[in-house]
Amino acid sequence: MGAIRQALQTLPAPVALIGAKDGDRHNITTVAWICQESGDPPQVMVSIAPQRFIHDMIVRSREFMVTVMGEGDEEAALFCGTKSGRDVDKVKELGLPTEPAEVIGVPRIKGALANLECRLVDSLVSGDHTIFVGKVVAATFLEGRRPLVWSRGKMGLL
Ligand SMILES: Cc1cc2nc3c(=O)[nH]c(=O)nc-3n(C[C@H](O)[C@H](O)[C@H](O)COP(=O)(O)O)c2cc1C
């Protein structure tokens, strides 16, 4: 592995699931390239490769859920980051408990460290990914759970 790639892999990143819906189909995909990019209005940006199944689901529906992964979520994060919604219903396979969101049409994951309901406000094709900017229109969070962190190709706890 080259120095550039290794150096980039030292950047600590969060681990989150991006959820989107297309008709009755609910898909969730793991991302590490995600962060807050505006405080007022509250907005996040997430970088998603065009070949991911979730990519066009977001383009079409113009909304997405960000579910922040915490302690104990390692297996679910790995599963959703290695299987495609083209081949499997990840929510069903994992038996993840969901509930309707407050504002958007994508369900929340129950018991998660945080759920951020996002409306797509901007997107930019850059390099080999698309940056989706989402305005956070509602959210839930739990006190006391530690967030998962992605660094050097591994998941750890903060
Ligand atoms: C820890 C981890 C982080 C990931 N981060 C991203 C990311 O930021 N952007 C992305 O496009 N894919 C990322 N992936 C890859 C996708 O999650 C993976 O290709 C997934 O199977 C796509 O599912 P889909 O086809 O249902 O959308 C990550 C995978 C893992 C395991």
Side-chain angles (χ1 to χ4, degrees):
M1 200 190 301
I4 292 177
R5 203 159 154 217
Q6 272 181 291
L8 284 170
Q9 284 203 345
T10 67
L11 279 172
V15 181
L17 300 181
I18 300 299
K21 258 196 112 178
D22 202 0
D24 284 343
R25 202 155 183 178
H26 178 201
N27 187 32
I28 43 175
T29 295
T30 304
V31 293
W33 295 355
I34 177 164
C35 66
Q36 182 169 358
E37 63 80 40
S38 166
D40 185 15
Q43 293 185 166
V44 293
M45 59 185 196
V46 55
S47 183
I48 298 188
Q51 63 269 29
R52 313 289 186 236
F53 189 57
I54 202 92
H55 183 281
D56 287 1
M57 292 176 83
I58 296 170
V59 171
R60 277 195 293 270
S61 65
R62 300 195 60 81
E63 53 184 31
F64 59 91
M65 181 73 69
V66 177
T67 300
V68 182
M69 297 277 88
E71 196 164 9
D73 293 333
E74 293 86 346
E75 254 180 61
L78 203 60
F79 184 83
C80 295
T82 49
K83 308 270 182 219
S84 176
R86 273 189 202 94
D87 313 313
V88 280
D89 181 336
K90 295 186 241 185
V91 181
K92 205 165 141 196
E93 285 282 313
L94 287 168
L96 285 177
T98 63
E99 62 189 356
E102 203 181 315
V103 178
I104 67 170
V106 186
R108 299 195 287 238
I109 310 283
K110 272 199 220 171
L113 171 57
N115 283 288
L116 309 168
E117 300 181 29
C118 297
R119 284 236 165 90
L120 184 68
V121 291
D122 222 333
S123 62
L124 170 74
V125 177
S126 181
D128 57 5
H129 280 57
T130 303
I131 299 167
F132 291 116
V133 177
K135 181 175 172 187
V136 184
V137 291
T140 63
F141 72 99
L142 293 177
E143 299 278 5
R145 281 192 71 200
R146 291 193 291 168
L148 279 180
V149 177
W150 179 253
S151 178
R152 293 202 160 102
K154 283 196 209 108
M155 272 179 239
L157 285 163
L158 197 63

